[in-house]
């Protein structure tokens, strides 16, 4: 019987008979650390010698060979599956094909994060493929639950370096790491430094503007709404350049920011308030 695998970055993942879930949730068999991937984004179903991929109602969809998957799509050897910003290659191998050496593959696609550049990469690799360093941000460090509570600050520094000249896809990968740390810290009710939040949000705004999509902008605004802070003027001004349809998606989040900041009497400068009001006005057009 034919065997099936997924190739992702520098690893290959065996696909057993039955269902393989792909998404951000740790409950998925293939876990992708990507803010554009839903918790349960897609499913690959192997039945005998056939394979199909299903979109599980994800926010950003699934593509096979560059074409959107409406509900499901049959898979052929070499098909490229696009999920979020990640590309996976579907492979068919004869049953006699040599299996990879021990330690080369895993039953899941969990990623780790480089402690130097904060890039996510397959945990099976001994060193970061981007900078070559072996030190990793451990999960408890990222979430702030260990005594070494510097994960978020380290990610913020990496984002600042990436903003100074890295390609936007590189910035987005680093930003995803910072997002994890920030969201976890807020979920635990712990304080966050405003400069760190501003750094992450400005990076999110740059990615949103470069992509012409509202997703990262909505995330940044949601953070300020939860904190009761007005976002820095450059963020609101940058989001105001998005296409009309994408800008309209920001209106509810921008209104929540304004309501929250007003209720908590945030003392941000007048420029920040004026820029947010301008964004809100243009988003409602």
């Amino acid at each position: 019987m034919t065997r099936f695998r997924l190739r992702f970055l520098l690893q290959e993942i065996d696909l057993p008979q039955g269902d393989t879930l792909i998404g951000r949730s740790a409950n998925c068999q293939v876990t992708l650390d990507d803010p554009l991937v839903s918790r349960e984004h897609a499913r690959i179903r192997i039945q005998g010698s056939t394979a199909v991929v299903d979109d599980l109602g994800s926010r950003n969809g699934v593509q096979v060979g560059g074409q959107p998957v409406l509900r499901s799509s049959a898979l052929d050897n070499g098909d490229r599956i696009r999920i979020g910003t990640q590309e996976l290659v579907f492979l068919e191998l004869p049953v006699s094909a040599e299996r990879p050496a021990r330690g080369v593959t895993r039953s899941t696609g969990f990623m780790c994060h480089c402690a130097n550049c904060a890039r996510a990469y397959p945990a099976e690799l001994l060193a970061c493929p981007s900078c070559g360093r072996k030190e990793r941000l451990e999960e408890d460090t990222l979430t702030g639950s260990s005594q070494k509570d510097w994960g978020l600050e380290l990610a913020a520094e990496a984002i600042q370096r990436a903003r100074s000249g890295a390609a936007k896809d590189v910035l987005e990968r680093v930003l995803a790491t910072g997002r994890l740390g920030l969201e976890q810290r807020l979920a635990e009710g712990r304080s966050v430094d405003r400069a760190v939040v501003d750094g992450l949000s400005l990076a999110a705004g740059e990615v949103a503007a470069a992509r012409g999509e509202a997703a990262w902008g909505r995330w940044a605004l949601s953070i300020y709404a939860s904190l009761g802070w007005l976002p820095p003027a450059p963020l609101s001004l940058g989001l105001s350049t998005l296409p009309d349809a994408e800008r309209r998606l920001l209106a509810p989040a921008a209104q929540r920011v304004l309501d929250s900041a007003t209720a908590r009497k945030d003392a941000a400068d007048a420029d920040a308030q004026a820029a947010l009001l301008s964004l809100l006005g243009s988003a409602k057009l």
Side-chain angles (χ1 to χ4, degrees), residues 89-104:
V89 181
F90 176 76
L91 301 173
E92 296 182 12
L93 301 118
V95 71
S96 58
E98 181 181 358
R99 291 183 178 271
R102 182 183 299 273
V104 173

Side-chain angles (χ1 to χ4, degrees), residues 209-229:
R211 289 186 169 277
E213 299 174 351
W216 272 111
R218 251 186 326 201
W219 172 79
L221 292 174
S222 72
I223 294 298
Y224 285 100
S226 69
L227 292 168
W229 298 348

Side-chain angles (χ1 to χ4, degrees), residues 8 79 107 122 166 211 268:
F8 174 54
D79 277 346
S107 58
R211 289 186 169 277

Side-chain angles (χ1 to χ4, degrees), residues 5-262:
R5 288 186 197 154
L6 275 181
R7 179 179 295 153
F8 174 54
L9 295 179
L10 300 179
Q11 66 177 340
E12 289 186 5
I13 302 165
D14 283 314
L15 295 172
Q17 291 289 314
D19 293 348
T20 297
L21 288 178
I22 304 172
R24 281 193 298 113
S25 172
N27 295 324
C28 294
Q29 286 75 39
V30 178
T31 305
L32 301 179
D33 181 11
D34 185 325
L36 300 183
V37 173
S38 301
R39 290 183 59 80
E40 292 188 355
H41 196 110
R43 173 182 60 215
I44 294 180
R45 174 167 291 174
I46 306 295
Q47 291 182 311
S49 59
T50 63
V52 297
V53 61
D54 301 317
D55 185 345
L56 300 179
S58 65
R59 183 180 62 182
N60 293 301
V62 178
Q63 293 183 9
V64 174
Q67 299 300 314
V69 173
L70 299 182
R71 289 192 61 182
S72 65
S73 175
L75 292 173
D76 295 318
N77 184 42
D79 277 346
R80 295 182 178 274
I81 306 169
R82 186 80 171 184
I83 296 178
T85 63
Q86 314 299 320
E87 186 173 81
L88 305 93
V89 181
F90 176 76
L91 301 173
E92 296 182 12
L93 301 118
V95 71
S96 58
E98 181 181 358
R99 291 183 178 271
R102 182 183 299 273
V104 173
T105 65
R106 291 165 55 109
S107 58
T108 62
F110 280 102
M111 311 288 282
C112 63
H113 296 82
C114 175
N116 180 56
C117 68
R119 176 178 176 177
Y121 65 93
E124 290 80 5
L125 300 182
L126 296 178
C128 173
S130 178
C131 68
R133 295 284 290 274
K134 296 183 179 180
E135 297 84 359
R136 297 177 176 181
L137 287 175
E138 298 297 333
E139 185 66 22
D140 58 353
T141 301
L142 272 174
T143 60
S145 59
S146 76
Q147 294 181 347
K148 292 182 178 179
D149 191 13
W150 45 261
L152 178 57
E153 286 74 15
L154 183 61
E157 291 176 8
I159 288 169
Q160 185 62 37
R161 291 195 298 270
R163 286 182 63 203
S164 66
K168 287 299 180 283
D169 59 337
V170 175
L171 176 58
E172 186 170 22
R173 287 199 298 269
V174 181
L175 179 59
T177 299
R179 173 180 177 167
L180 290 175
L182 178 58
E183 290 180 347
Q184 183 65 35
R185 188 173 292 190
L186 293 176
E188 294 172 353
R190 302 167 62 227
S191 63
V192 291
D193 185 87
R194 189 158 193 158
V196 170
V197 175
D198 287 348
L200 268 64
S201 70
L202 289 171
E206 290 178 13
V207 173
R211 289 186 169 277
E213 299 174 351
W216 272 111
R218 251 186 326 201
W219 172 79
L221 292 174
S222 72
I223 294 298
Y224 285 100
S226 69
L227 292 168
W229 298 348
L230 287 171
L235 173 62
S236 298
L237 294 174
L239 295 178
S240 296
T241 66
L242 289 174
D244 291 347
E246 295 295 318
R247 201 167 59 246
R248 283 193 288 271
L249 296 175
L250 296 174
Q255 186 64 58
R256 286 194 296 272
V257 174
L258 184 61
D259 294 343
S260 178
T262 301

